[in-house]
Amino acid sequence: MLAVVSPPRLPLLTTTTTPPLLLSPRRLLCLCSPRPSRRRRRGGGFGCPLRAVAAAGGRAGIVIDVDEVDEVGDRDLPVDVSFTRRLRPVLTLGDGLAALRQAGEEVKASPPAGAGSGVIRFEVLVPPSTKALKWLCTQFKRSSLFPQFYLSRKPTTGPSIQLEISGAGSAICFHGSSRVDNGFDLISRYLSFDLHLIRAYGSVGVKYENGLHSVEERAGSFYFFIPQVELSEFDGYSMLSSTIVWDDSVSHTFEDSVCLFESCFNQIWSIYDSSATTCYERMVTSYIEELCLSQSRNTQLVYLDAEFLAVIDGKVGMDKEICPTSDQSFVRFSPQLLFSSNMDLCLQSNKTDSFIKSCSNINLAWASFIVEEFVRLGSRSSPLALSASGHPLTTCISCYDERSLGFHALGYGRGSRKPAIVITSSGTAVSNLLPSVVEASQDFVPLILLTADRPPELHDAGANQAINQVNHFGSFVRHFFSLPPPDDQIYARMVLTAVDSVAYYATQTPQGPVHMNCAFREPLDYRYQDWSVDCLKGLEKWFINRKPYTTYLGMKMVSALVMEVLEIVKKAKQGLLLVGAIHTDDDIWAVALLARHLSWPVAADVLSGLRMRKVLNSSLKLDKSILFIDHIDQMLLSESVKSWISPDVIVQIGSRITSKRVGTYLESCSPTSYILIDAHPCRHDPSHVVTHRIQATIAEFAASLWQCNFQRKTSRWSDILKVLNSAVSQEIIMVIRDLDMFGKGWIDHSKNVNDAMMHHFPGFLGAPVAGNRGASGIDGLLSTAIGFSIGSNKHVFCVIGDISFLHDTNGLSLLNQRSQRKPMTIIVINNHGGAIFSLLPIAKTASPQILEKFFYTLHDISISKLCAAHRVKHFVVQTKTELHDALVKSHVGHVDCVVEVENSIVDNANFHRIISMFTDHTATTCLEYLLGGPYCKGELDGLSVGRIHAAEYMFYRIQLSAPRTSGISESSFFHEGFILKLCMDDNIVGFGEVAPIEIHEEDLLDVEEQLRFLFHRMKDAELDVVPLLRGSFSNWIWTCLGIPPSSLFPSVKCGLEMAILNLLASRRTCRLYDIFTGSNVVECNQSSSASIEICALLDSSGTPMEVALAVLKLVAEGFTTVKLKVGRRESPAEDAAIIQKIREIVGYKINIRADANRKWTYKQAIDFGLMVKGFCLQYIEEPVDSVNDIVKFCENSGLPVALDETIDNLRGDLIPKLHQFSHPGIVALVIKPSVVGGFENAAYIAKWAHMHDKMAVISSAYESSVGLAGYIQFAHYVDKQNAIISRIKSKGSCGTVAHGLGTYQWLREDVSEQKLKIHAPPLGDGIRASAEDAHGYLQHLSINNKKIERTYSEENLRSYFIQVDWDKFSYHVKLQEAGDCTNEKVVLFLHGFLGTSEDWVPMMKALSPSARVIAVDLPGHGESKIIQHGVENPNQASVTVQVVADLLLKLICDITDGEVFVVGYSMGARIALHMALNKNHKAVTSRQISGAVIISGSPGLRDEASKRRRSAIDKSRAHFLSSCGLDSFLETWYSAKMWASLREHPKFDSLVRTRREHNNIKALSKVLADSSIGRQKSLWEDLKHLKSPLLIVAGEKDLKFKEISQEICREIRKYRDCESNGLCEMIIVPDSGHAVHIENPLPLVRAVRKFLLHIYQT
C-alpha cells in the first residue's frame, strides 16, 4: 500500500451556518480622538493634524479618524519609503520570531535616512505546521496586543494564495463614519505595490463609538488596520511577518514605530510557548473562554491591498460588497470584545461534574472518567462505548471487524502523529488487534487500546467470552495497565492518573501502542445502581478546568552536537544525505532546509514524502539548490554505478529504508562514517554499518548543523550523480511516460506568478507518504489508509495491490463513515494474483504450475461487486487515458472511489524487466562517458570540459550537379550555407554546418543574425553539455547563454549541436558517435561494422523507362534502396506506372521508397495505393496533404507509410504529439536533424520510433560533406540504439535501415578539398558510409577558402563620448557603436531604468550587417554624466522624459545627417515615443525619426489623479534608493510582479550584478523621480498625428503592457489607415515578460531587422 497525500488547501476549521457572535466588552480598547500635533506636518492636507495615541492594554500605532480629515490633500500619496526584507527560512516558529526581532534591531541601527514616512515589512518562512488559527489561539490568549484577528479563504489555483491568516497588534488603523470618499485614499498611502502581501484588514458598515464602548451598524462606516505581526498560511508553508509604519505628518516618528515594534515583540516573546499543544478542537473555546456572549452580528472581515485600491474608485463609498472578503473570520478588539463571521464560537459550559454525578451506575462513571481524560489529553466495552459516543468532543467510528478497526486507528496515528483509541469487547475481539499492534510497535506509531474484560472472579471459571487479556500483546506494547472493576470504594482519581500514564507511554519516545485492560461487572448498560460520590474526593479542581489530572513534564537536555560528528560532516568530500521514512510536514521542511544547508546529494526514500514533491516554479535554481537523487534504486541496477558511488560519509535521517536494493548496497558501500538520526533510541541498523547513532528529532539535528557554516563547492561526484539521476529518469519516463502524474497534483504550480517570497527557499512542496513497513504485512492496508486520511486531514491517494485489497475488504465499510475526512481515491492494481513473486528469483526456477498454485494465489474475484456491496463508487480502467479520466472524475466529484487498474502478472513482470534493463544500460553508459573525459574545475556548477575560446562562421557557396528536389527552387544549381568553427584552448576545434533551404522556415539572413548574437553570448562560455542526457543541449543554451532553446531556428540549433559534439569529441580524443553511444552494455551484434547503409535519391522526372534505367544504374553502383519523388505529375497513375516499370526492369531485389511530399489529396493517395499495392513498396512517404488523413490512409490502403514533414512541423513536447502516429501501418519516421531542431530532438524521435517498432531514417537536406559526416556518425548511433532496444524488448530489429543521405550525389563542389568516403563494400550489401571515415574527415578538415564568400569571428564595438549642451547643463554621453559607419540606416538603442548601453551589445552585433547601430548610456546611468552650469542647487536641473528626448534629438545632429531609427525599452521606449512624435522641435529642424520600436513602453497616464499618484510613488522609490542604498533598492525593485518571469531567467543574478555597478546613486535616484511616467506628458492624444512607423512590442507574460500595446494600436488606427502603409505594427514575443530584450531576444532581433528593412524599402 502506498498512501500519497497532497498538502492541505482547505482551512482546518469547518464552515458552519451558526450566526456570528457579538460579545459584550468588560474592558475597553480606546481609540482616542486625534489632537493637534506639536510637530510640523509633512505633506499637509488635513484640516486637523493627527497623531498616534496610546490604547488601553498596550501601545498603539497610528490612529486616523477619517471623519476629522477636512481635505485629503497630499495625504493619499505614498510614503517616502516602503520595502520588504525577506529573511532566510527558519526551522521553528521561535526562530522566526527571533529573526524578525533581529531584523527590527538592524533597521533601528540603520534607519532610512531623511524618510519622514515609511512602511517596512519583514517576512520569514516558518514550518508548515505553524497554523494561523492555532498560533493565534495558543500564543495570544493572555496577550494585551490588540486587535487580534483571523480569517480564512477558499483555495484557488494559485499556490501563493494565503489560505488562512491571523495577526495581532496595529501598526496603523483608520476608522470613520462619514467622508467615506477620503477613506480609501488615506489607506492607499500605506499600501504599496512594492509590498505584495501587505494588507489592511477590517470591517465595513459598523460604527465604532466612544472608543469602542458601543457598536452599531451604519452604512458607510468602517474600521481598518494594518497588523503589527501576522502569520499567513499557504499551501505547504507558512510565513511570519511584521510591519513597521511611521509618518511624521501624524506625529508618529520612526523612533516611535521602532519603539512600538520592540514593545510588540517583547510581549510576544514573553508569552511565547514553544510547547503549546492545545487540542485543535478546543483551542478556540480555550482562547475566548472568558468572554461573555452579548448578541450576534454578521461582521464579516474584509481586506484591502494596493492592487484592489488601484482599480476601485474611493468615491463610490466603502461598500463591503465590493471589498475582498473572507469565508470565516473573527476579530478581537479587547479581552472581552470579539466579532465573528461564519464561525461557531459558542462556548460549552463545563458540565463534567454534574454529568458524572448523574451516571446511573459506577461502571458508567468510571467509563466517563476514562473518556473525558483522554479527550483532555487530545486524543467490556458497552460502558466505554456509551460514554465515548455521548461525549461532545469525540468522533466515533464503528466497524464490525476489529482487525480493520485496529489498522484504521493505526492509519490515523500515522497521519496525525497522535494516538487514536480503539475500544473493543473482550475475548478474541482483543486478539484481532494483534496485527495492527505489531505494525504500530515496529514503526513507532502511537496507539491506545481500551479492551473490555470480564471481572477477575469469572476468569478460569468457564465464563463466556473470558480469556486471559493480561499482557495480551506481550512486548509489542510500550505499556500495559489493568484497571480493576469499577468500585466506589476506590478513589476515581486513580482512573485519571492511570489514563494519563497510559497516554504518556504512547506518546513519549519511542512512541508505540499501549494497552489498558478495563474489567467491568454487571450492569453493562444504563440500568440504575446506587454508588457513592465520595469516590470523587479530590477532583474539585479537575471538574472546573479543562486540563488533564496529571501533566507530564519532560526535561529537555539542550546540548551542542557532538564535535566528532560535526567534524565528520564538515570534512566529508562525498557526503550523501539518505532520507528514510519521515512523517510530518515539519520534518519534510527541516530535511529540505538541512539539505540546502549541507549541499549534499539527497537520496529520498519513497516514504520520505520528498519523492512526490510538487514543483512550485520552473526555475532551474531548484536543481542548484537541492540535488535530489530520486532514482538511486534504479541507478544501483548498474554494477558500474554501484561500485563507483562510494560516499565517504552517509547521514541517514529517519530509520526506515524501503528499498531492498538500497539496503543491500549499504551493506557493501563501507563509508568511513555512517550517522543515523532518529527520535527513538531503538537499533535500526539491519546492514550493521552505523558508526554514530544520534537520538534527536530531525528539527533538533538540523538546528545543530544550522549553526555551522558549510562551504558550498562544486563536486564532480555530485555533478555525476545529478546527470545519472536525470538520465535514468528520462529512460523511465520514455517507457512509462505518465507514471509520475500522481506526484504532480491537480494544480499547475509552474505558472506561479508571485513567487517573490520563495526566492530564499526551493520552490517545492512535499507530499507526505505512508506505508505499513513496520512489519511489512499486507493486511489492514485499506483501513490504515482511511485512518491516515482522517489523521492527516488531506486528500489521500491509496495505491494498493489486489491481494492486499482483498485481505482488507471489510475496510470498505469504513469509507461510508465520512465524518471529518476528505474524499479518498483508492487505486487497486489488479493482476489477479500476487505479482510480487514474478519479480523474485523464485519465478526463474519454479514451474509455472507451482507458481500459480502456491505463490501467485490467482483469483477471479469481482472488485466492482465488492465495491457495489459497500456502496462505493468504482471505475475499471485499462489504459493511461482511462486512468487519467477516472482520477479527474474522482477529484471533481469529491467522492470516495476505487479505481481498478486491470493488469496481468506476465505483462507486469515483462514491464519491470524492460525498465530495469533500460535503466541499467543507460546508467552504465552514462557513467562511462562521464568518467572517460576531462573535467575542468570552473567557476560555474556542472561538468565543464572547458570554455569556448573563440567562434567563427564561414559563408560558403558551392555548385550542385542538379537542382534540389524540394520542388521550389528547381532552377538553382548552387547551395549556400555556413560552416561553424568553435575553438577551445589547446587548439581543440569543432565544426558544424547551418544551411537552410526552401523547406526550412528560416532563410540565410535569419540564420546569420542568430549566429552573430550567439557568438557574442558563447564567448568564454563554460561548456558542460552531456550529450547522452536528453535536454542537455537545450539546458546549456538556456542556462549558459540565456536564450530560450525554442527561439533558435532548427538549422541553427542543429549546426550548433554538431559543432559542440565535434568539439567534445576532439576534447576527449574520441569519435563523435562514441560521444553518443559510450560503451554499450547490451550489444546485439558485437561484430557489426561501424558503417551505415545509404538510400539513393532520385527525382523521377522523365518517362517510366528513363526512370527505370536510372534506377538500374544506381543498383549497378551498389544501392539496394532507392527513394523516388512522386506526386509531381498530373495524376497518380503516371507515378504508379513508373513504379511498375522499375519492377519490370530491375525486379524485386531492391527496396523502393516513394516520397509524395504531401502533394496528394486523400482520394489521389488511395488511388495510387491501389495501383502499386502489389509492387512491394518499402513505404510511401507523406502520401496525403492532411495530417488527419494519415492513419485513415494506412487502414484503407494497406500500404506502409513513413512520416517526414509531419514530424518536421511538431513543436514543443514531441512525444505526446507522436503518440497519435503509433499506428502499426506507419513503419518509419524520416528525421532531418536540421529541420527537427538538432541531434538532441532527432535522437529523441528516433528512440520513440524504435520503442514502437518503427524505422528511424536519418535524412540530410543537401548539406555539404561537413554536415553529412556528422549525420553519418549520428545515423550509426541510431542504428546501434535500435539494436539495443530490440535486444531489451526481446524482439527482432527492423533490419538494416538505409538512411536518406543520398544527397551527397548532388555535390559537384564541396567546402573541402578532402573527399568524404561513401562506397559499395565488397560484400555488396549496399552503398555504405563508414562512421570511422566520417570521423577522420572532420578531424582533419581543411576548408577550401575558394568556396568561402566571407567569414565572421567577433566584432569589437567602438566606444566614445559626445557632449550635448543644454540650457543650464551639459549631457556628457557615452555611446557604443557597431556596423558600417557609412551606412545610411542608423539605429539608436535606448535602455530602460537601471540599464546601460551594454544591455544592447548582443543585439547590436546581430543587426550590424543591416545598419549602423548605436547605443547610449542615458543620463544618470553607466558612464554618462550631467554637468551643471553654475547652478547652486544641482537638483534644479530636471531630467524628465521630454528633456532627455530633446537632448537625444540634438545628439542625433552630431551622429548623422540622415534619418534615425529608434529602439527603446521601458523608460527608453517612452523617450523613443516622444522623439517619434516630436516633429516640430527646434533641435530636429528638417530631420526626422524614420521609425521607432517601442518595447514594453507606454504613452503615459491619461488622467491627472493617476499622474499625481504615480509621480509620488516614483519620488518615494527615489528616496528609498538614495536613503537605503542600491542593494536594498534592487531587492525591492526586482521583487515586483512585473519582473516575475525575469526572476526565472538564468541570467537574472548576473543582470542584478551589473545593476550594482552604477556608482552615482544620487543621479540615478534623480532620474527615477524626474523621468516618472507621472511627470511625463501624456502622448495618447498625440498618437493621432503619428507619421513615423511604430513597431509595438510586448512580452507574452506581461499582461499589463500587452494591453497597453493593443490600446496604442487601436488609438492609432482610429485616425490612420495603417493597413496600407504599415504605420503601426505589433508583435507579442513568446516566453517573455517585461524585459523582452533579455528574456527572449532572438525573436525581437528578427522583428526589428524586418521592420527596419520594411521602412527603408517603402
PDB file of all heavy atoms in Angstrom, residues 556-572:
ATOM      1  N   LYS A 556      14.133  18.950  28.957  1.00  0.00           N
ATOM      2  CA  LYS A 556      14.806  18.995  27.666  1.00  0.00           C
ATOM      3  C   LYS A 556      16.303  19.142  27.869  1.00  0.00           C
ATOM      4  O   LYS A 556      16.768  20.102  28.454  1.00  0.00           O
ATOM      5  CB  LYS A 556      14.265  20.187  26.858  1.00  0.00           C
ATOM      6  CG  LYS A 556      14.776  20.262  25.457  1.00  0.00           C
ATOM      7  CD  LYS A 556      14.005  19.321  24.572  1.00  0.00           C
ATOM      8  CE  LYS A 556      14.373  19.532  23.122  1.00  0.00           C
ATOM      9  NZ  LYS A 556      13.748  18.576  22.252  1.00  0.00           N
ATOM     10  N   MET A 557      17.045  18.199  27.392  1.00  0.00           N
ATOM     11  CA  MET A 557      18.502  18.268  27.503  1.00  0.00           C
ATOM     12  C   MET A 557      19.034  18.994  26.254  1.00  0.00           C
ATOM     13  O   MET A 557      19.008  18.465  25.148  1.00  0.00           O
ATOM     14  CB  MET A 557      19.107  16.871  27.587  1.00  0.00           C
ATOM     15  CG  MET A 557      18.648  16.096  28.826  1.00  0.00           C
ATOM     16  SD  MET A 557      19.076  16.919  30.360  1.00  0.00           S
ATOM     17  CE  MET A 557      20.847  16.841  30.289  1.00  0.00           C
ATOM     18  N   VAL A 558      19.416  20.213  26.420  1.00  0.00           N
ATOM     19  CA  VAL A 558      19.924  21.012  25.312  1.00  0.00           C
ATOM     20  C   VAL A 558      21.443  20.945  25.313  1.00  0.00           C
ATOM     21  O   VAL A 558      22.097  21.322  26.288  1.00  0.00           O
ATOM     22  CB  VAL A 558      19.448  22.474  25.431  1.00  0.00           C
ATOM     23  CG1 VAL A 558      19.961  23.283  24.257  1.00  0.00           C
ATOM     24  CG2 VAL A 558      17.936  22.525  25.506  1.00  0.00           C
ATOM     25  N   SER A 559      21.978  20.472  24.255  1.00  0.00           N
ATOM     26  CA  SER A 559      23.441  20.404  24.158  1.00  0.00           C
ATOM     27  C   SER A 559      23.837  20.529  22.702  1.00  0.00           C
ATOM     28  O   SER A 559      23.062  20.267  21.793  1.00  0.00           O
ATOM     29  CB  SER A 559      23.971  19.094  24.741  1.00  0.00           C
ATOM     30  OG  SER A 559      23.446  18.008  24.007  1.00  0.00           O
ATOM     31  N   ALA A 560      25.031  20.933  22.470  1.00  0.00           N
ATOM     32  CA  ALA A 560      25.538  21.053  21.104  1.00  0.00           C
ATOM     33  C   ALA A 560      25.771  19.672  20.516  1.00  0.00           C
ATOM     34  O   ALA A 560      25.908  18.684  21.231  1.00  0.00           O
ATOM     35  CB  ALA A 560      26.834  21.860  21.097  1.00  0.00           C
ATOM     36  N   LEU A 561      25.804  19.630  19.195  1.00  0.00           N
ATOM     37  CA  LEU A 561      26.093  18.368  18.523  1.00  0.00           C
ATOM     38  C   LEU A 561      27.492  17.897  18.899  1.00  0.00           C
ATOM     39  O   LEU A 561      28.400  18.686  19.079  1.00  0.00           O
ATOM     40  CB  LEU A 561      26.008  18.576  17.011  1.00  0.00           C
ATOM     41  CG  LEU A 561      26.113  17.326  16.141  1.00  0.00           C
ATOM     42  CD1 LEU A 561      24.915  16.442  16.343  1.00  0.00           C
ATOM     43  CD2 LEU A 561      26.237  17.727  14.677  1.00  0.00           C
ATOM     44  N   VAL A 562      27.610  16.613  19.027  1.00  0.00           N
ATOM     45  CA  VAL A 562      28.916  16.047  19.350  1.00  0.00           C
ATOM     46  C   VAL A 562      29.945  16.553  18.340  1.00  0.00           C
ATOM     47  O   VAL A 562      29.744  16.473  17.124  1.00  0.00           O
ATOM     48  CB  VAL A 562      28.849  14.509  19.310  1.00  0.00           C
ATOM     49  CG1 VAL A 562      30.203  13.909  19.621  1.00  0.00           C
ATOM     50  CG2 VAL A 562      27.811  14.000  20.300  1.00  0.00           C
ATOM     51  N   MET A 563      31.044  17.088  18.842  1.00  0.00           N
ATOM     52  CA  MET A 563      32.040  17.711  17.976  1.00  0.00           C
ATOM     53  C   MET A 563      32.594  16.722  16.949  1.00  0.00           C
ATOM     54  O   MET A 563      32.892  17.083  15.810  1.00  0.00           O
ATOM     55  CB  MET A 563      33.183  18.278  18.821  1.00  0.00           C
ATOM     56  CG  MET A 563      32.779  19.482  19.644  1.00  0.00           C
ATOM     57  SD  MET A 563      32.133  20.835  18.614  1.00  0.00           S
ATOM     58  CE  MET A 563      33.596  21.219  17.643  1.00  0.00           C
ATOM     59  N   GLU A 564      32.686  15.483  17.357  1.00  0.00           N
ATOM     60  CA  GLU A 564      33.225  14.483  16.435  1.00  0.00           C
ATOM     61  C   GLU A 564      32.351  14.361  15.196  1.00  0.00           C
ATOM     62  O   GLU A 564      32.842  14.337  14.064  1.00  0.00           O
ATOM     63  CB  GLU A 564      33.331  13.132  17.143  1.00  0.00           C
ATOM     64  CG  GLU A 564      33.867  12.020  16.251  1.00  0.00           C
ATOM     65  CD  GLU A 564      33.823  10.662  16.946  1.00  0.00           C
ATOM     66  OE1 GLU A 564      33.420  10.611  18.132  1.00  0.00           O
ATOM     67  OE2 GLU A 564      34.164   9.672  16.293  1.00  0.00           O
ATOM     68  N   VAL A 565      31.037  14.307  15.404  1.00  0.00           N
ATOM     69  CA  VAL A 565      30.113  14.189  14.277  1.00  0.00           C
ATOM     70  C   VAL A 565      30.157  15.443  13.415  1.00  0.00           C
ATOM     71  O   VAL A 565      30.149  15.378  12.177  1.00  0.00           O
ATOM     72  CB  VAL A 565      28.681  13.922  14.790  1.00  0.00           C
ATOM     73  CG1 VAL A 565      27.676  14.004  13.649  1.00  0.00           C
ATOM     74  CG2 VAL A 565      28.615  12.556  15.473  1.00  0.00           C
ATOM     75  N   LEU A 566      30.215  16.575  14.059  1.00  0.00           N
ATOM     76  CA  LEU A 566      30.271  17.832  13.335  1.00  0.00           C
ATOM     77  C   LEU A 566      31.506  17.898  12.441  1.00  0.00           C
ATOM     78  O   LEU A 566      31.446  18.308  11.280  1.00  0.00           O
ATOM     79  CB  LEU A 566      30.265  18.999  14.317  1.00  0.00           C
ATOM     80  CG  LEU A 566      30.249  20.403  13.709  1.00  0.00           C
ATOM     81  CD1 LEU A 566      29.036  20.591  12.833  1.00  0.00           C
ATOM     82  CD2 LEU A 566      30.288  21.448  14.811  1.00  0.00           C
ATOM     83  N   GLU A 567      32.631  17.479  12.959  1.00  0.00           N
ATOM     84  CA  GLU A 567      33.862  17.492  12.178  1.00  0.00           C
ATOM     85  C   GLU A 567      33.784  16.518  11.011  1.00  0.00           C
ATOM     86  O   GLU A 567      34.279  16.786   9.915  1.00  0.00           O
ATOM     87  CB  GLU A 567      35.055  17.158  13.077  1.00  0.00           C
ATOM     88  CG  GLU A 567      35.447  18.269  14.024  1.00  0.00           C
ATOM     89  CD  GLU A 567      35.807  19.547  13.284  1.00  0.00           C
ATOM     90  OE1 GLU A 567      36.585  19.467  12.296  1.00  0.00           O
ATOM     91  OE2 GLU A 567      35.297  20.620  13.654  1.00  0.00           O
ATOM     92  N   ILE A 568      33.151  15.379  11.242  1.00  0.00           N
ATOM     93  CA  ILE A 568      32.990  14.394  10.164  1.00  0.00           C
ATOM     94  C   ILE A 568      32.192  14.996   9.020  1.00  0.00           C
ATOM     95  O   ILE A 568      32.546  14.869   7.848  1.00  0.00           O
ATOM     96  CB  ILE A 568      32.301  13.117  10.703  1.00  0.00           C
ATOM     97  CG1 ILE A 568      33.257  12.364  11.632  1.00  0.00           C
ATOM     98  CG2 ILE A 568      31.831  12.230   9.560  1.00  0.00           C
ATOM     99  CD1 ILE A 568      32.587  11.219  12.379  1.00  0.00           C
ATOM    100  N   VAL A 569      31.091  15.658   9.369  1.00  0.00           N
ATOM    101  CA  VAL A 569      30.234  16.255   8.343  1.00  0.00           C
ATOM    102  C   VAL A 569      30.979  17.358   7.603  1.00  0.00           C
ATOM    103  O   VAL A 569      30.889  17.491   6.380  1.00  0.00           O
ATOM    104  CB  VAL A 569      28.939  16.787   8.985  1.00  0.00           C
ATOM    105  CG1 VAL A 569      28.117  17.564   7.975  1.00  0.00           C
ATOM    106  CG2 VAL A 569      28.123  15.638   9.567  1.00  0.00           C
ATOM    107  N   LYS A 570      31.741  18.156   8.333  1.00  0.00           N
ATOM    108  CA  LYS A 570      32.479  19.252   7.712  1.00  0.00           C
ATOM    109  C   LYS A 570      33.529  18.751   6.720  1.00  0.00           C
ATOM    110  O   LYS A 570      33.752  19.339   5.669  1.00  0.00           O
ATOM    111  CB  LYS A 570      33.167  20.102   8.786  1.00  0.00           C
ATOM    112  CG  LYS A 570      32.265  21.136   9.434  1.00  0.00           C
ATOM    113  CD  LYS A 570      33.078  22.010  10.373  1.00  0.00           C
ATOM    114  CE  LYS A 570      32.237  23.139  10.944  1.00  0.00           C
ATOM    115  NZ  LYS A 570      33.022  24.017  11.838  1.00  0.00           N
ATOM    116  N   LYS A 571      34.192  17.665   7.063  1.00  0.00           N
ATOM    117  CA  LYS A 571      35.303  17.178   6.255  1.00  0.00           C
ATOM    118  C   LYS A 571      34.874  16.236   5.133  1.00  0.00           C
ATOM    119  O   LYS A 571      35.706  15.796   4.341  1.00  0.00           O
ATOM    120  CB  LYS A 571      36.315  16.473   7.149  1.00  0.00           C
ATOM    121  CG  LYS A 571      37.008  17.404   8.142  1.00  0.00           C
ATOM    122  CD  LYS A 571      37.973  16.637   9.037  1.00  0.00           C
ATOM    123  CE  LYS A 571      38.668  17.565  10.028  1.00  0.00           C
ATOM    124  NZ  LYS A 571      39.589  16.824  10.934  1.00  0.00           N
ATOM    125  N   ALA A 572      33.602  15.913   5.065  1.00  0.00           N
ATOM    126  CA  ALA A 572      33.142  14.963   4.049  1.00  0.00           C
ATOM    127  C   ALA A 572      33.398  15.496   2.646  1.00  0.00           C
ATOM    128  O   ALA A 572      33.128  16.660   2.351  1.00  0.00           O
ATOM    129  CB  ALA A 572      31.649  14.683   4.241  1.00  0.00           C
TER     130      ALA A 572
END
